[in-house]
Amino acid sequence: QVQLVESGGGLVQPGGSLRLSCAASGFTFSSTDMRWYRQAPGKERELVALITSTGGSTTYSDSVKGRFTISRDNGKNTLYLQMNSLKPDDTAVYYCKAVVPRGSYFYAYWGQGTQVTVSS
């Protein structure tokens, strides 16, 4: 079964840093593009960052560009999000996402999320 388990969230002051992890299993992680999303209360879930299967290309939302870095370790089947210079507007539940082939179809899988709260 496909499993995605996020960790590393918590409470941090504005300007602080956190590193999120997403442990993946049940599919070929090294062949799969991965994404981080976030959802704040009352807001739509939004794409934060994308990384291609080899890690050769990354894409960021304008709101986090220059502050966040997405990376992966294919040997450990783990996705990361390094978050620096955190702002209160970064407060949200952060999710990792994988799109995995099943036969001739593709399915989106989500982790349970990890809470990030930026507050003084």
Side-chain angles (χ1 to χ4, degrees), residues 59-112:
T59 302
Y60 299 92
S61 167
D62 287 344
S63 63
V64 308
K65 191 174 184 179
R67 300 186 298 120
F68 291 11
T69 303
I70 189 171
S71 62
R72 65 194 296 157
D73 186 336
N74 283 348
K76 296 182 178 180
N77 284 1
T78 302
L79 176 72
Y80 303 99
L81 185 68
Q82 178 66 47
M83 306 187 296
N84 298 326
S85 301
L86 283 161
K87 304 174 180 180
D89 283 350
D90 296 319
T91 296
V93 178
Y94 284 72
Y95 301 89
C96 62
K97 177 189 179 183
V99 179
V100 180
R102 280 198 182 249
S104 57
Y105 300 97
F106 290 84
Y107 295 89
Y109 293 89
W110 301 84
Q112 84 291 339

Short mmCIF file of all heavy atoms in Angstrom, two decimals, residues 59-112:
data_model
loop_
_atom_site.label_atom_id
_atom_site.label_comp_id
_atom_site.label_asym_id
_atom_site.label_seq_id
_atom_site.Cartn_x
_atom_site.Cartn_y
_atom_site.Cartn_z
N THR A 59 10.33 23.60 -8.64
CA THR A 59 9.44 24.71 -8.90
C THR A 59 8.83 25.15 -7.58
O THR A 59 8.49 24.32 -6.74
CB THR A 59 8.33 24.32 -9.89
OG1 THR A 59 8.91 23.85 -11.10
CG2 THR A 59 7.43 25.51 -10.20
N TYR A 60 8.68 26.49 -7.39
CA TYR A 60 8.17 27.04 -6.14
C TYR A 60 7.05 28.03 -6.39
O TYR A 60 7.03 28.75 -7.39
CB TYR A 60 9.28 27.75 -5.37
CG TYR A 60 10.41 26.86 -4.97
CD1 TYR A 60 11.53 26.72 -5.78
CD2 TYR A 60 10.36 26.14 -3.78
CE1 TYR A 60 12.58 25.88 -5.42
CE2 TYR A 60 11.41 25.31 -3.42
CZ TYR A 60 12.52 25.18 -4.24
OH TYR A 60 13.55 24.36 -3.88
N SER A 61 6.13 28.08 -5.44
CA SER A 61 5.16 29.17 -5.40
C SER A 61 5.88 30.50 -5.17
O SER A 61 6.89 30.56 -4.46
CB SER A 61 4.17 28.92 -4.27
OG SER A 61 3.40 30.06 -4.00
N ASP A 62 5.36 31.57 -5.78
CA ASP A 62 5.97 32.88 -5.59
C ASP A 62 6.04 33.28 -4.11
O ASP A 62 6.96 34.00 -3.71
CB ASP A 62 5.18 33.95 -6.36
CG ASP A 62 5.39 33.87 -7.85
OD1 ASP A 62 6.35 33.22 -8.29
OD2 ASP A 62 4.58 34.47 -8.58
N SER A 63 5.11 32.82 -3.31
CA SER A 63 5.05 33.23 -1.92
C SER A 63 6.18 32.63 -1.07
O SER A 63 6.45 33.14 0.02
CB SER A 63 3.70 32.86 -1.31
OG SER A 63 3.50 31.46 -1.31
N VAL A 64 6.82 31.56 -1.55
CA VAL A 64 7.88 30.92 -0.77
C VAL A 64 9.22 30.93 -1.48
O VAL A 64 10.24 30.56 -0.87
CB VAL A 64 7.51 29.46 -0.41
CG1 VAL A 64 6.14 29.40 0.24
CG2 VAL A 64 7.57 28.55 -1.64
N LYS A 65 9.26 31.36 -2.71
CA LYS A 65 10.50 31.35 -3.49
C LYS A 65 11.58 32.17 -2.79
O LYS A 65 11.34 33.30 -2.36
CB LYS A 65 10.25 31.88 -4.89
CG LYS A 65 11.41 31.65 -5.85
CD LYS A 65 11.02 32.07 -7.26
CE LYS A 65 12.14 31.77 -8.25
NZ LYS A 65 11.75 32.15 -9.63
N GLY A 66 12.76 31.59 -2.67
CA GLY A 66 13.86 32.24 -2.00
C GLY A 66 13.95 31.93 -0.53
O GLY A 66 14.98 32.21 0.10
N ARG A 67 12.89 31.37 0.06
CA ARG A 67 12.86 31.04 1.47
C ARG A 67 12.80 29.53 1.72
O ARG A 67 13.35 29.05 2.71
CB ARG A 67 11.68 31.71 2.17
CG ARG A 67 11.69 33.23 2.08
CD ARG A 67 10.58 33.85 2.92
NE ARG A 67 9.25 33.44 2.46
CZ ARG A 67 8.36 32.79 3.19
NH1 ARG A 67 8.65 32.45 4.45
NH2 ARG A 67 7.17 32.48 2.69
N PHE A 68 12.11 28.81 0.85
CA PHE A 68 11.93 27.37 1.01
C PHE A 68 12.76 26.62 -0.03
O PHE A 68 12.96 27.10 -1.15
CB PHE A 68 10.46 26.96 0.81
CG PHE A 68 9.51 27.42 1.89
CD1 PHE A 68 9.88 28.33 2.86
CD2 PHE A 68 8.22 26.91 1.91
CE1 PHE A 68 8.99 28.74 3.84
CE2 PHE A 68 7.32 27.30 2.89
CZ PHE A 68 7.70 28.22 3.85
N THR A 69 13.21 25.41 0.33
CA THR A 69 13.94 24.55 -0.59
C THR A 69 13.39 23.14 -0.51
O THR A 69 13.37 22.55 0.57
CB THR A 69 15.44 24.54 -0.27
OG1 THR A 69 15.97 25.87 -0.29
CG2 THR A 69 16.19 23.68 -1.28
N ILE A 70 12.94 22.60 -1.64
CA ILE A 70 12.50 21.22 -1.71
C ILE A 70 13.67 20.35 -2.15
O ILE A 70 14.47 20.75 -3.01
CB ILE A 70 11.28 21.08 -2.66
CG1 ILE A 70 10.67 19.67 -2.57
CG2 ILE A 70 11.65 21.44 -4.09
CD1 ILE A 70 9.35 19.53 -3.33
N SER A 71 13.79 19.17 -1.55
CA SER A 71 14.84 18.24 -1.92
C SER A 71 14.36 16.82 -1.66
O SER A 71 13.29 16.61 -1.08
CB SER A 71 16.14 18.54 -1.15
OG SER A 71 15.95 18.39 0.24
N ARG A 72 15.16 15.85 -2.08
CA ARG A 72 14.78 14.46 -1.87
C ARG A 72 16.02 13.60 -1.75
O ARG A 72 17.10 13.95 -2.25
CB ARG A 72 13.89 13.96 -3.02
CG ARG A 72 14.59 13.90 -4.37
CD ARG A 72 13.58 13.74 -5.51
NE ARG A 72 12.86 12.48 -5.42
CZ ARG A 72 11.67 12.24 -5.95
NH1 ARG A 72 11.06 13.21 -6.63
NH2 ARG A 72 11.10 11.06 -5.82
N ASP A 73 15.87 12.47 -1.08
CA ASP A 73 16.90 11.45 -0.98
C ASP A 73 16.28 10.16 -1.48
O ASP A 73 15.54 9.50 -0.75
CB ASP A 73 17.40 11.32 0.45
CG ASP A 73 18.59 10.38 0.58
OD1 ASP A 73 18.76 9.50 -0.28
OD2 ASP A 73 19.36 10.53 1.55
N ASN A 74 16.55 9.82 -2.73
CA ASN A 74 15.92 8.63 -3.31
C ASN A 74 16.40 7.34 -2.66
O ASN A 74 15.69 6.33 -2.67
CB ASN A 74 16.16 8.60 -4.82
CG ASN A 74 15.27 9.57 -5.57
OD1 ASN A 74 14.32 10.12 -5.00
ND2 ASN A 74 15.57 9.80 -6.84
N GLY A 75 17.60 7.35 -2.09
CA GLY A 75 18.08 6.17 -1.37
C GLY A 75 17.32 5.91 -0.08
O GLY A 75 17.27 4.77 0.38
N LYS A 76 16.75 6.95 0.51
CA LYS A 76 15.98 6.84 1.74
C LYS A 76 14.48 6.95 1.52
O LYS A 76 13.72 6.91 2.48
CB LYS A 76 16.41 7.91 2.74
CG LYS A 76 17.85 7.77 3.21
CD LYS A 76 18.19 8.85 4.24
CE LYS A 76 19.60 8.68 4.76
NZ LYS A 76 19.94 9.74 5.75
N ASN A 77 14.05 7.10 0.27
CA ASN A 77 12.62 7.28 -0.05
C ASN A 77 12.01 8.40 0.79
O ASN A 77 10.91 8.26 1.35
CB ASN A 77 11.85 5.98 0.16
CG ASN A 77 12.07 4.96 -0.94
OD1 ASN A 77 12.82 5.19 -1.88
ND2 ASN A 77 11.41 3.82 -0.82
N THR A 78 12.71 9.52 0.85
CA THR A 78 12.27 10.62 1.70
C THR A 78 12.31 11.94 0.93
O THR A 78 13.28 12.23 0.22
CB THR A 78 13.13 10.73 2.96
OG1 THR A 78 13.06 9.49 3.68
CG2 THR A 78 12.63 11.84 3.86
N LEU A 79 11.27 12.74 1.10
CA LEU A 79 11.14 14.08 0.56
C LEU A 79 11.30 15.08 1.69
O LEU A 79 10.84 14.83 2.81
CB LEU A 79 9.76 14.23 -0.08
CG LEU A 79 9.37 15.59 -0.64
CD1 LEU A 79 10.14 15.87 -1.92
CD2 LEU A 79 7.86 15.65 -0.88
N TYR A 80 11.92 16.23 1.41
CA TYR A 80 12.17 17.25 2.42
C TYR A 80 11.67 18.61 1.96
O TYR A 80 11.59 18.89 0.76
CB TYR A 80 13.66 17.38 2.72
CG TYR A 80 14.32 16.11 3.17
CD1 TYR A 80 15.04 15.32 2.28
CD2 TYR A 80 14.23 15.69 4.50
CE1 TYR A 80 15.65 14.15 2.70
CE2 TYR A 80 14.84 14.53 4.92
CZ TYR A 80 15.55 13.76 4.02
OH TYR A 80 16.15 12.59 4.44
N LEU A 81 11.36 19.46 2.93
CA LEU A 81 11.10 20.86 2.67
C LEU A 81 11.79 21.68 3.75
O LEU A 81 11.38 21.66 4.92
CB LEU A 81 9.60 21.17 2.66
CG LEU A 81 9.22 22.60 2.28
CD1 LEU A 81 9.55 22.88 0.81
CD2 LEU A 81 7.74 22.86 2.55
N GLN A 82 12.86 22.37 3.38
CA GLN A 82 13.56 23.27 4.29
C GLN A 82 12.89 24.64 4.22
O GLN A 82 12.80 25.23 3.15
CB GLN A 82 15.03 23.39 3.91
CG GLN A 82 15.83 24.35 4.78
CD GLN A 82 15.95 23.88 6.21
OE1 GLN A 82 16.29 22.72 6.45
NE2 GLN A 82 15.68 24.76 7.16
N MET A 83 12.41 25.13 5.35
CA MET A 83 11.67 26.39 5.42
C MET A 83 12.46 27.37 6.29
O MET A 83 12.65 27.12 7.48
CB MET A 83 10.28 26.17 5.99
CG MET A 83 9.47 25.10 5.25
SD MET A 83 7.76 25.00 5.83
CE MET A 83 8.05 24.46 7.52
N ASN A 84 12.90 28.47 5.69
CA ASN A 84 13.64 29.51 6.39
C ASN A 84 12.86 30.81 6.36
O ASN A 84 11.96 31.00 5.55
CB ASN A 84 15.01 29.71 5.75
CG ASN A 84 15.88 28.49 5.80
OD1 ASN A 84 15.84 27.72 6.76
ND2 ASN A 84 16.71 28.30 4.76
N SER A 85 13.24 31.74 7.22
CA SER A 85 12.61 33.07 7.28
C SER A 85 11.10 32.96 7.33
O SER A 85 10.37 33.64 6.60
CB SER A 85 13.05 33.91 6.08
OG SER A 85 14.46 34.07 6.05
N LEU A 86 10.61 32.14 8.22
CA LEU A 86 9.18 31.84 8.28
C LEU A 86 8.38 33.06 8.71
O LEU A 86 8.82 33.87 9.53
CB LEU A 86 8.92 30.68 9.22
CG LEU A 86 9.26 29.31 8.62
CD1 LEU A 86 9.44 28.27 9.70
CD2 LEU A 86 8.18 28.88 7.63
N LYS A 87 7.19 33.17 8.13
CA LYS A 87 6.26 34.27 8.37
C LYS A 87 4.96 33.72 8.94
O LYS A 87 4.62 32.56 8.71
CB LYS A 87 5.96 35.00 7.06
CG LYS A 87 7.16 35.53 6.32
CD LYS A 87 6.76 36.10 4.98
CE LYS A 87 7.96 36.63 4.22
NZ LYS A 87 7.56 37.18 2.90
N PRO A 88 4.19 34.53 9.65
CA PRO A 88 2.88 34.06 10.13
C PRO A 88 1.99 33.52 9.02
O PRO A 88 1.22 32.57 9.25
CB PRO A 88 2.28 35.30 10.78
CG PRO A 88 3.47 36.05 11.29
CD PRO A 88 4.53 35.85 10.23
N ASP A 89 2.08 34.08 7.82
CA ASP A 89 1.27 33.60 6.70
C ASP A 89 1.66 32.20 6.23
O ASP A 89 0.94 31.60 5.44
CB ASP A 89 1.36 34.56 5.51
CG ASP A 89 0.53 35.81 5.69
OD1 ASP A 89 -0.28 35.87 6.64
OD2 ASP A 89 0.67 36.75 4.88
N ASP A 90 2.78 31.68 6.70
CA ASP A 90 3.17 30.31 6.39
C ASP A 90 2.45 29.29 7.27
O ASP A 90 2.58 28.08 7.05
CB ASP A 90 4.68 30.12 6.55
CG ASP A 90 5.49 30.95 5.57
OD1 ASP A 90 5.09 31.04 4.38
OD2 ASP A 90 6.53 31.51 5.98
N THR A 91 1.71 29.75 8.26
CA THR A 91 0.98 28.85 9.15
C THR A 91 -0.04 28.05 8.36
O THR A 91 -0.91 28.62 7.69
CB THR A 91 0.30 29.64 10.26
OG1 THR A 91 1.29 30.26 11.09
CG2 THR A 91 -0.56 28.72 11.13
N ALA A 92 0.06 26.73 8.43
CA ALA A 92 -0.81 25.85 7.65
C ALA A 92 -0.49 24.41 8.00
O ALA A 92 0.52 24.12 8.67
CB ALA A 92 -0.61 26.06 6.15
N VAL A 93 -1.33 23.50 7.55
CA VAL A 93 -1.00 22.08 7.53
C VAL A 93 -0.30 21.80 6.21
O VAL A 93 -0.81 22.14 5.14
CB VAL A 93 -2.24 21.20 7.69
CG1 VAL A 93 -1.85 19.72 7.63
CG2 VAL A 93 -2.94 21.50 9.01
N TYR A 94 0.86 21.17 6.29
CA TYR A 94 1.67 20.87 5.11
C TYR A 94 1.54 19.40 4.76
O TYR A 94 1.67 18.53 5.62
CB TYR A 94 3.13 21.24 5.36
CG TYR A 94 3.38 22.73 5.29
CD1 TYR A 94 2.93 23.57 6.31
CD2 TYR A 94 4.04 23.31 4.21
CE1 TYR A 94 3.12 24.94 6.25
CE2 TYR A 94 4.25 24.67 4.15
CZ TYR A 94 3.79 25.48 5.17
OH TYR A 94 3.99 26.85 5.10
N TYR A 95 1.30 19.13 3.47
CA TYR A 95 1.08 17.78 2.97
C TYR A 95 2.05 17.46 1.84
O TYR A 95 2.34 18.32 1.01
CB TYR A 95 -0.33 17.63 2.39
CG TYR A 95 -1.47 17.92 3.33
CD1 TYR A 95 -1.98 19.20 3.46
CD2 TYR A 95 -2.05 16.89 4.07
CE1 TYR A 95 -3.04 19.46 4.31
CE2 TYR A 95 -3.11 17.15 4.92
CZ TYR A 95 -3.60 18.43 5.04
OH TYR A 95 -4.65 18.69 5.88
N CYS A 96 2.51 16.22 1.77
CA CYS A 96 3.20 15.77 0.57
C CYS A 96 2.24 14.98 -0.30
O CYS A 96 1.27 14.39 0.19
CB CYS A 96 4.47 14.97 0.89
SG CYS A 96 4.24 13.44 1.82
N LYS A 97 2.51 14.96 -1.60
CA LYS A 97 1.63 14.34 -2.58
C LYS A 97 2.44 13.56 -3.60
O LYS A 97 3.47 14.04 -4.09
CB LYS A 97 0.80 15.41 -3.31
CG LYS A 97 -0.11 14.87 -4.40
CD LYS A 97 -0.72 16.02 -5.20
CE LYS A 97 -1.61 15.52 -6.32
NZ LYS A 97 -2.14 16.64 -7.14
N ALA A 98 1.96 12.36 -3.93
CA ALA A 98 2.53 11.55 -4.98
C ALA A 98 1.43 11.13 -5.95
O ALA A 98 0.33 10.79 -5.52
CB ALA A 98 3.21 10.31 -4.41
N VAL A 99 1.71 11.16 -7.24
CA VAL A 99 0.80 10.65 -8.26
C VAL A 99 1.40 9.36 -8.78
O VAL A 99 2.48 9.36 -9.35
CB VAL A 99 0.58 11.67 -9.38
CG1 VAL A 99 -0.37 11.10 -10.44
CG2 VAL A 99 0.02 12.97 -8.82
N VAL A 100 0.68 8.26 -8.58
CA VAL A 100 1.23 6.93 -8.77
C VAL A 100 0.41 6.17 -9.81
O VAL A 100 -0.82 6.13 -9.72
CB VAL A 100 1.25 6.14 -7.45
CG1 VAL A 100 1.83 4.74 -7.65
CG2 VAL A 100 2.04 6.90 -6.39
N PRO A 101 1.06 5.53 -10.79
CA PRO A 101 0.31 4.75 -11.77
C PRO A 101 -0.24 3.47 -11.17
O PRO A 101 0.44 2.79 -10.38
CB PRO A 101 1.34 4.45 -12.86
CG PRO A 101 2.65 4.49 -12.15
CD PRO A 101 2.51 5.54 -11.08
N ARG A 102 -1.49 3.13 -11.54
CA ARG A 102 -2.09 1.84 -11.23
C ARG A 102 -2.76 1.34 -12.51
O ARG A 102 -3.81 1.85 -12.91
CB ARG A 102 -3.12 1.96 -10.12
CG ARG A 102 -2.52 2.00 -8.73
CD ARG A 102 -3.58 1.69 -7.72
NE ARG A 102 -3.11 1.75 -6.36
CZ ARG A 102 -2.97 0.70 -5.57
NH1 ARG A 102 -3.28 -0.51 -6.02
NH2 ARG A 102 -2.55 0.85 -4.33
N GLY A 103 -2.14 0.36 -13.15
CA GLY A 103 -2.61 -0.09 -14.45
C GLY A 103 -2.51 1.05 -15.44
O GLY A 103 -1.45 1.64 -15.61
N SER A 104 -3.63 1.36 -16.10
CA SER A 104 -3.65 2.44 -17.07
C SER A 104 -4.12 3.76 -16.48
O SER A 104 -4.31 4.73 -17.22
CB SER A 104 -4.55 2.06 -18.25
OG SER A 104 -5.86 1.77 -17.81
N TYR A 105 -4.27 3.84 -15.16
CA TYR A 105 -4.74 5.04 -14.49
C TYR A 105 -3.69 5.55 -13.52
O TYR A 105 -2.74 4.85 -13.16
CB TYR A 105 -6.05 4.76 -13.73
CG TYR A 105 -7.17 4.30 -14.62
CD1 TYR A 105 -7.47 2.96 -14.77
CD2 TYR A 105 -7.94 5.23 -15.32
CE1 TYR A 105 -8.51 2.54 -15.59
CE2 TYR A 105 -8.98 4.82 -16.14
CZ TYR A 105 -9.25 3.47 -16.27
OH TYR A 105 -10.28 3.07 -17.09
N PHE A 106 -3.88 6.81 -13.09
CA PHE A 106 -3.03 7.44 -12.10
C PHE A 106 -3.88 7.86 -10.91
O PHE A 106 -5.01 8.31 -11.07
CB PHE A 106 -2.32 8.66 -12.67
CG PHE A 106 -1.28 8.33 -13.69
CD1 PHE A 106 -1.62 8.11 -15.01
CD2 PHE A 106 0.05 8.24 -13.32
CE1 PHE A 106 -0.66 7.79 -15.95
CE2 PHE A 106 1.03 7.93 -14.26
CZ PHE A 106 0.67 7.71 -15.57
N TYR A 107 -3.32 7.73 -9.71
CA TYR A 107 -4.00 8.09 -8.49
C TYR A 107 -3.14 9.02 -7.67
O TYR A 107 -1.92 8.82 -7.56
CB TYR A 107 -4.36 6.85 -7.66
CG TYR A 107 -5.36 5.94 -8.33
CD1 TYR A 107 -4.94 4.94 -9.18
CD2 TYR A 107 -6.72 6.11 -8.12
CE1 TYR A 107 -5.85 4.12 -9.82
CE2 TYR A 107 -7.64 5.29 -8.74
CZ TYR A 107 -7.20 4.29 -9.59
OH TYR A 107 -8.11 3.48 -10.21
N ALA A 108 -3.77 10.02 -7.08
CA ALA A 108 -3.08 10.94 -6.19
C ALA A 108 -3.16 10.43 -4.76
O ALA A 108 -4.24 10.09 -4.27
CB ALA A 108 -3.69 12.33 -6.28
N TYR A 109 -2.02 10.40 -4.08
CA TYR A 109 -1.94 10.00 -2.69
C TYR A 109 -1.41 11.15 -1.86
O TYR A 109 -0.49 11.87 -2.28
CB TYR A 109 -1.03 8.78 -2.52
CG TYR A 109 -1.59 7.53 -3.15
CD1 TYR A 109 -1.32 7.22 -4.48
CD2 TYR A 109 -2.39 6.66 -2.42
CE1 TYR A 109 -1.84 6.07 -5.06
CE2 TYR A 109 -2.91 5.51 -3.00
CZ TYR A 109 -2.63 5.22 -4.32
OH TYR A 109 -3.16 4.09 -4.89
N TRP A 110 -1.99 11.31 -0.68
CA TRP A 110 -1.63 12.38 0.24
C TRP A 110 -1.22 11.80 1.59
O TRP A 110 -1.77 10.79 2.04
CB TRP A 110 -2.81 13.32 0.47
CG TRP A 110 -3.33 13.98 -0.76
CD1 TRP A 110 -4.22 13.48 -1.66
CD2 TRP A 110 -3.00 15.29 -1.23
NE1 TRP A 110 -4.46 14.39 -2.67
CE2 TRP A 110 -3.73 15.51 -2.42
CE3 TRP A 110 -2.16 16.30 -0.75
CZ2 TRP A 110 -3.64 16.70 -3.14
CZ3 TRP A 110 -2.07 17.48 -1.46
CH2 TRP A 110 -2.81 17.68 -2.65
N GLY A 111 -0.29 12.45 2.25
CA GLY A 111 -0.01 12.13 3.62
C GLY A 111 -1.06 12.73 4.55
O GLY A 111 -2.01 13.39 4.11
N GLN A 112 -0.89 12.48 5.85
CA GLN A 112 -1.86 12.96 6.83
C GLN A 112 -1.66 14.43 7.18
O GLN A 112 -2.53 15.05 7.78
CB GLN A 112 -1.79 12.11 8.11
CG GLN A 112 -0.71 12.50 9.11
CD GLN A 112 0.71 12.25 8.64
OE1 GLN A 112 0.94 11.43 7.74
NE2 GLN A 112 1.66 12.94 9.25
#
